[in-house]
Amino acid sequence: MGDLKLMKGNEALSEAMIRAGCDAYFGYPITPQSEVLEYLAREASQRTGMVVLQAESEVAAINMIYGAAGAGRRVMTTSSSPGISLMQEGLSYIASAELPCLLANVVRGGPGLGTIQPSQADYFQSVKGGGHGDYKLIVLAPSSVQEMVDFVKLGFELGEKYRNPVMILTDGAIGQMMEKVVLFEQMPRKTEFPDWATTGKKPGKDRNYITSLHIQSEKMEEINLRLQAKYKEIEKNEIRYQAVNLDDAEYVFTGFGLVARICIKAMEMARAKGYKVGVIRPITVFPFPTQVYADIAPQLKGILDVEMNAGQMVEDVRLSVNGATKVEFYGRMGGMIPSPEEILENFERIYIKGETK
Amino acid sequence: MAKVMGEIIIDIERCKGCELCFDACPKEAIQLSDTINSKGYQFAIKVNDLCNGCASCALVCPDAVITVYRKVDKAKRPVKVIEIED
Amino acid sequence: MSERTYVDIEAELTDQPINFDEDICLAENVVYVKPQTLIDIPMHYCPGCGHSTAHKILMEVVDEMGIQEEIIGVAPVGCSVFAYHYMNVDMQEAAHGRACAVATGIKRIMPEKYVFTYQGDGDLAAIGTAETVHAANRGENILVVFINNGIYGMTSGQMAPTTLPGMVTTTSPYGRDVKTQGHPLYISNLLANLPGVAYVSRHSVHTPNNVRKAKKSLAKALEYQKQGLGFCLVEIVTNCPSNWKMTPKQSNQFVEEKMIPFYPLGDIKVPEGK
């Protein structure tokens, strides 16, 4: 067993990074995730010798990640929405060059400078690629401070297993709130690095080079096919979701991250009123747990998708059920968080009273 | 003084015929060929026996196609690969 | 080397065969041979391009210092985007302008290794200005090889931050007008003012002597990196015959007559006591 502590989401994430034997963190301050860099600057190098550097921008930070990841190290960066937008260029290169790395997006309300309050409006950007070209990140959506810790370790493992960037898609509320967490034991930093890493040419072996440039169309298509095959493999092996009370469910509330917790509360309230409601929470939003929705759809009267955005994941839910049941959406934007009462009220409005607006 | 003799070997298939070695050569020992290599470039050839192995041609050759040899008669001493002068 | 050499076809080429002395062409008499660390494939650069010369001398330095296994390079975007095809050392290909950030990531986790970036003027002094200035200001212990030919070569001849006033490019077709298109950026001089910067030196590769000096400067910079002195930048003022619409010879003349008076050669900053 690890240590039991009361911690803020961002700090728990930082602590997990140190304990996971992370080699380097490059980042830039932005609300609501600035505690990460502060915590690491205070703790990391003294404890594990981890490199912590405040970059001049998110653009520089993600490219520092590229460099250090290319040398086979365990590396991570964090930011919030506007900063993640700046990182998209680097992420596209990292995905194409197949470098493992971990990043966390502590999402705030947008578009533009938006607000510093929590939001889930970066779903599309996170799961559909984000930058240029056909690529995917593995995206984990924690709904508690405990998962902020667990997904750091899992994220590093998945990234290294598939040589792919992994994103923890969280939000300003989980980043800022305090909960009790169980921390895993300190892991040693790696001392051996993968064969492909650029750590200096090995005697008697070809040099390593890391690139995303393949000027010949045939070669670039081959790279694309390889990436797509990898994403298929990830979809086959790495889907994670939480399903609550699906057995007798006639309705399903669904949402990811913070909203899923609120959905569970709303489900309890609905059940108390006699409505047979279950909850599906995708834990991995890429790969998306399509099958669980497809399987349950025939027994349902409807799904209510709840998000802190204008309706993004709802598109994936609709694709998953493929018309087998009704999928309605309720969302709040701009930093507003829906309450369980609100969710229940809208569920009744849509599915019980049959009002559309 | 010992006689210094030089020789160059040009990798004509790699030569792009940029002619930069012509001006670099103090002995005017290099000129352009009449024929072309498989890439379609006229290439550099040695046209006299005055080469003293100064390696100026090789230094300015962008594609490093020139190998330079230098022999000092009688007084055989090792020559450092490219002497760096201020 | 390819099979067809001067020796083989000498007879075909000249009516008066030139004496080819086999006694001289012995391994012990070699004074110049292509560096081992430069991969033996044709480079894609145009005839007479200074990039090739810069690659060559950089790899000669790596050979002579015996650091092929201890050095990691970062290639830019621009004509030298394929630098990693020619340099037989571990390399990473950076996004446009981000080479200094990538090099920072590499050097910070492996401070014991040598790290260099190889960047053109557009990469280093336009799109990558922030990354370059901040890496320099942090005193990142890396070598930046900066190729300044005053033009965007890869995209076929647009105006660069270092394009000379009045110089015609495809995006300054009436000559660079500094009133509307800005002034050439003296990025090396600008960087030399930063305390984190140890060594800044400007060279050219258009004559044998300049090649020697440029090479010596690269060797010095790597030596300073070994000593941990900080950010080192070697600028190489060079040509772009194709996009300047000149022959290689004319382009080198332009370097001599126009570029060098504007970008004077020599040390701009040297470490204290060196």
Side-chain angles (χ1 to χ4, degrees):
Chain A
M1 274 298 284
D3 307 336
L4 183 66
K5 287 205 170 155
L6 180 66
M7 290 186 99
K8 203 174 186 180
N10 286 335
E11 294 189 339
L13 177 100
S14 315
E15 178 63 31
M17 211 186 302
I18 300 171
R19 291 188 182 221
C22 182
D23 293 303
Y25 173 92
F26 303 98
Y28 185 81
I30 181 171
T31 309
Q33 64 81 55
S34 301
E35 295 86 357
V36 178
L37 181 53
E38 289 171 353
Y39 188 93
L40 292 171
R42 201 164 62 228
E43 297 277 330
S45 55
Q46 288 84 343
R47 281 168 46 188
T48 64
M50 172 181 165
V51 172
V52 179
L53 182 64
Q54 178 170 338
E56 65 271 25
S57 68
E58 287 89 349
V59 177
I62 195 70
N63 283 285
M64 292 172 185
I65 290 286
Y66 180 99
R73 267 37 176 210
R74 237 175 205 198
V75 288
M76 182 163 179
T77 185
T78 59
S79 190
S80 179
S81 310
I84 296 286
S85 290
L86 282 176
M87 291 184 182
Q88 293 304 330
E89 174 201 49
L91 277 172
S92 175
Y93 282 69
I94 287 172
S96 181
E98 297 191 80
L99 301 177
C101 72
L102 183 58
L103 61 155
N105 183 359
V106 186
V107 183
R108 59 189 246 183
L113 206 43
T115 167
I116 56 171
Q117 300 302 327
S119 165
Q120 296 184 322
D122 295 356
Y123 177 90
F124 280 151
Q125 188 194 51
S126 312
V127 307
K128 306 292 181 190
H132 61 283
D134 278 323
Y135 73 91
K136 300 275 192 186
L137 311 176
I138 298 171
V139 187
L140 303 166
S143 70
S144 65
V145 174
Q146 182 64 53
E147 285 185 337
M148 292 283 267
V149 171
D150 298 342
F151 289 178
V152 168
K153 196 174 162 191
L154 175 65
F156 279 129
E157 287 164 4
L158 290 175
E160 285 159 20
K161 181 174 174 190
Y162 294 100
R163 282 187 67 179
N164 206 66
V166 177
M167 176 182 275
I168 296 175
L169 179 65
T170 179
D171 63 64
I174 298 172
Q176 293 296 327
M177 71 189 185
M178 288 183 94
E179 283 187 307
K180 67 175 183 196
V181 282
V182 179
L183 296 164
F184 53 85
E185 298 287 340
Q186 176 69 50
M187 294 159 64
R189 287 177 55 191
K190 286 196 294 182
T191 50
E192 283 182 16
F193 309 105
D195 292 344
W196 51 261
T198 55
T199 53
K201 187 182 173 298
K202 314 275 181 312
K205 288 192 178 167
D206 283 347
R207 76 198 186 289
N208 287 332
Y209 61 85
I210 285 161
T211 184
S212 59
L213 175 69
H214 308 280
I215 214 101
Q216 304 271 355
S217 301
E218 292 83 358
K219 176 69 181 166
M220 197 63 231
E221 187 179 45
E222 195 186 308
I223 299 287
N224 269 283
L225 289 170
R226 194 175 77 209
L227 289 178
Q228 294 304 320
K230 178 169 81 174
Y231 303 145
K232 283 274 178 298
E233 192 66 17
I234 292 168
E235 283 177 328
K236 205 173 89 192
N237 302 333
E238 305 301 344
I239 286 175
R240 287 165 171 79
Y241 62 88
Q242 182 188 2
V244 189
N245 287 339
L246 290 192
D247 288 349
D248 65 341
E250 294 177 347
Y251 300 96
V252 158
F253 293 167
T254 189
F256 68 96
L258 183 71
V259 167
R261 288 172 70 153
I262 308 170
C263 283
I264 289 172
K265 181 67 186 169
M267 174 201 72
E268 286 165 4
M269 290 161 66
R271 288 219 166 228
K273 291 181 88 171
Y275 307 126
K276 288 181 177 170
V277 175
V279 166
I280 299 174
R281 166 170 87 99
I283 292 172
T284 51
V285 280
F286 180 83
F288 192 73
T290 305
Q291 201 56 44
V292 64
Y293 291 99
D295 290 347
I296 193 81
Q299 79 180 52
L300 297 180
K301 292 178 179 168
I303 294 175
L304 181 65
D305 176 284
V306 187
E307 300 175 58
M308 291 175 352
N309 58 40
Q312 300 190 12
M313 189 183 84
V314 66
E315 294 191 1
D316 287 330
V317 176
R318 285 189 177 129
L319 285 170
S320 302
V321 303
N322 198 18
T325 190
K326 206 170 154 186
V327 180
E328 295 291 344
F329 171 74
Y330 178 68
R332 297 294 301 268
M333 290 166 278
M336 298 303 290
I337 303 175
S339 67
E341 291 79 9
E342 240 178 292
I343 295 173
L344 182 60
E345 189 188 312
N346 280 282
F347 161 71
E348 288 183 314
R349 173 178 63 79
I350 296 164
Y351 284 111
I352 308 301
K353 296 176 190 156
E355 293 167 16
T356 47
K357 274 287 163 193
Chain B
M1 199 180 139
K3 183 174 165 16
V4 181
M5 292 184 298
E7 189 63 85
I8 55 172
I9 292 188
I10 300 167
D11 185 351
I12 57 163
E13 275 300 315
R14 295 282 170 80
C15 178
K16 294 172 182 165
C18 72
E19 308 183 18
L20 295 185
C21 52
F22 302 1
D23 284 350
C25 179
K27 305 290 184 187
E28 298 179 347
I30 313 176
Q31 275 186 21
L32 211 55
S33 68
D34 296 332
T35 55
I36 55 171
N37 62 19
S38 65
K39 293 270 183 352
Y41 291 118
Q42 283 177 279
F43 47 88
I45 52 166
K46 198 179 87 161
V47 293
N48 65 37
D49 288 334
L50 300 174
C51 178
N52 63 1
C54 73
S56 291
C57 55
L59 285 173
V60 296
C61 175
D63 292 274
V65 303
I66 308 176
T67 305
V68 185
Y69 300 87
R70 186 187 210 186
K71 188 178 178 184
V72 182
D73 246 5
K74 302 275 173 5
K76 206 172 185 180
R77 57 183 172 85
V79 184
K80 260 179 81 178
V81 178
I82 313 204
E83 288 175 35
I84 293 171
E85 294 157 19
D86 274 320
Chain C
M1 282 204 198
S2 45
E3 285 168 19
R4 205 158 155 254
T5 66
Y6 173 72
V7 190
D8 301 329
I9 58 159
E10 182 189 318
E12 298 169 33
L13 299 173
T14 47
D15 296 334
Q16 304 155 313
I18 304 303
N19 181 31
F20 178 81
D21 194 339
E22 287 183 359
D23 289 346
I24 303 176
C25 297
L26 300 169
E28 67 205 51
N29 292 336
V30 169
V31 276
Y32 185 88
V33 67
K34 187 173 184 167
Q36 298 255 311
T37 309
L38 196 65
I39 294 173
D40 193 23
I41 55 168
M43 290 196 254
H44 73 279
Y45 299 110
C46 304
C49 177
H51 267 306
S52 324
T53 319
H55 282 22
K56 185 182 78 169
I57 56 174
L58 182 59
M59 290 302 104
E60 283 172 12
V61 169
V62 169
D63 269 0
E64 284 163 31
M65 291 177 76
I67 56 172
Q68 186 187 14
E69 286 158 14
E70 298 161 53
I71 192 162
I72 295 106
V74 182
V77 171
C79 277
S80 47
V81 68
F82 284 126
Y84 58 87
H85 280 182
Y86 310 126
M87 301 180 183
N88 197 7
V89 297
D90 273 9
M91 288 194 79
Q92 295 194 16
E93 166 57 41
H96 197 19
R98 318 291 175 229
C100 281
V102 173
T104 300
I106 301 170
K107 186 70 180 183
R108 288 285 175 134
I109 50 140
M110 298 188 292
E112 73 286 1
K113 306 276 181 179
Y114 294 89
V115 177
F116 72 91
T117 73
Y118 184 101
Q119 301 175 259
D121 39 37
D123 193 86
L124 180 132
I127 195 168
T129 316
E131 286 75 14
T132 308
V133 169
H134 282 277
N137 194 44
R138 285 191 303 266
E140 293 299 340
N141 198 21
I142 58 173
L143 162 65
V144 173
V145 183
F146 168 37
I147 306 296
N148 175 7
N149 58 10
I151 204 154
Y152 281 74
M154 192 201 221
T155 46
S156 68
Q158 294 80 12
M159 188 182 71
T162 50
T163 295
L164 302 181
M167 196 167 157
V168 173
T169 70
T170 58
T171 50
S172 57
Y174 307 108
R176 182 179 193 158
D177 175 7
V178 295
K179 281 187 185 150
T180 58
Q181 295 173 309
H183 295 267
L185 184 58
Y186 284 104
I187 186 83
S188 300
N189 303 66
L190 194 147
L191 293 173
N193 290 322
L194 303 173
V197 176
Y199 177 62
V200 180
S201 192
R202 191 184 287 126
H203 296 272
S204 78
V205 289
H206 72 300
T207 70
N209 213 26
N210 285 96
V211 173
R212 284 193 190 96
K213 284 181 185 169
K215 184 179 161 187
K216 191 175 175 187
S217 177
L218 291 170
K220 261 190 205 172
L222 284 172
E223 192 53 45
Y224 296 153
Q225 184 175 147
K226 190 177 177 183
Q227 294 167 18
L229 299 185
F231 189 88
C232 295
L233 181 139
V234 176
E235 174 177 344
I236 296 177
V237 177
T238 184
N239 59 352
C240 180
S242 297
N243 290 303
W244 289 358
K245 320 285 182 215
M246 293 177 189
T247 65
K249 271 186 183 179
Q250 288 166 340
S251 71
N252 270 356
Q253 214 168 343
F254 188 86
V255 168
E256 177 82 42
E257 290 167 8
K258 305 283 185 199
M259 294 286 280
I260 292 175
F262 203 86
Y263 297 108
L265 305 184
D267 288 341
I268 297 168
K269 185 176 192 178
V270 290
E272 264 178 60
K274 302 279 176 184

